[in-house]
Amino acid sequence: MRDLVYFLVFDGFADWQAALALCEIRRPGDWQVQAVGFSMAPVVSMGGLTVQPELSLDQLDLKRAALLIVPGGHLWQRGEGAEAVAAIRQLYTAGAPVAAIDSGVLALARGGLLDHCRHTGNWAGHIDGHVPAYAGAEQYDAGVLAVSDGGVISASHLGSVEFAREVIRTLDLYSPSDREHWYRLFKHAQPPPWCVGEAAAMA
């Protein structure tokens, strides 16, 4: 049973980028979100939050993993995090989707996961400039802020809402129409029609 959603934490991780996605994952109560670190040592996010990992990368449960979320952070641009790249590949090979936003996409590229699927990132040339072995430039889609293809979710640093939408879709949260209402609400502040009707009735 795949009921665990892993969220990778490390010193300097961008804590806001997956916040919406994590909240929606936990809302139904069907998935357990666990913070996974490079070790069990506490880390401090980019926003100054201290987070205690619940497990380390070598403790991932491949059979229960439903998704791994990789946030951005300066360590990816420094070319660090090789052990995380190996874990990402291991989880993906075992059948779990993986999701990355901002410079976290570089970790997917280093694992070779972007070579054969449609994907996006911060801007054209960003991945090429940091990952010499990257061979997926023809699959790069500069026209979207987030995209899901072949069990891989990738997103720009500007696409937190779109990233959450792809995570929601991947985990099959809500109905297709409710997902669209959710997106319009959080992206454009457009409430669902029934909320508008209730507000008008109460006026």
Side-chain angles (χ1 to χ4, degrees):
M1 179 180 181
R2 295 190 177 275
D3 59 346
L4 296 178
V5 173
Y6 293 123
F7 179 67
L8 185 63
V9 297
F10 47 86
D11 280 322
F13 76 90
D15 41 21
W16 70 92
Q17 291 178 337
L20 274 174
L22 292 173
C23 288
E24 296 304 326
I25 290 168
R26 295 190 71 243
R27 190 186 303 274
D30 297 327
W31 286 271
Q32 180 180 351
V33 176
Q34 292 187 340
V36 55
F38 287 79
S39 71
M40 292 298 293
V43 300
V44 178
S45 73
M46 195 176 291
L49 299 177
T50 298
V51 178
Q52 173 65 60
E54 298 171 72
L55 71 163
S56 57
L57 284 168
D58 59 358
Q59 297 175 312
L60 297 176
D61 189 331
L62 301 182
K63 293 183 179 180
R64 292 182 62 189
L67 180 69
L68 169 66
I69 297 177
V70 183
H74 295 309
L75 92 163
W76 305 126
Q77 296 177 168
R78 296 194 298 263
E80 301 171 2
E83 57 266 62
V85 173
I88 290 168
R89 281 190 57 85
Q90 187 179 30
L91 274 176
Y92 180 75
T93 301
V98 294
I101 184 171
D102 189 16
S103 56
V105 172
L106 299 177
L108 303 187
R110 292 188 177 108
L113 273 61
L114 304 183
D115 292 347
H116 304 290
C117 71
R118 180 170 166 251
H119 60 276
T120 193
N122 287 349
W123 58 83
H126 181 241
I127 301 174
D128 310 62
H130 287 87
V131 186
Y134 168 63
E138 293 186 358
Q139 302 289 331
Y140 186 88
D141 189 341
V144 295
L145 291 176
V147 63
S148 176
D149 186 29
V152 176
I153 298 172
S154 55
S156 160
H157 62 299
L158 301 175
S160 295
V161 178
E162 287 78 7
F163 179 74
R165 179 174 62 174
E166 294 305 319
V167 168
I168 289 169
R169 181 181 297 144
T170 296
L171 293 178
D172 198 26
L173 297 172
Y174 317 132
S175 67
S177 61
D178 283 348
R179 289 196 288 263
E180 185 59 29
H181 289 314
W182 179 93
Y183 177 73
R184 291 178 180 176
L185 178 63
F186 282 91
K187 185 66 176 181
H188 304 293
Q190 296 178 356
W194 59 84
C195 290
V196 176
E198 290 177 0
M202 295 173 63

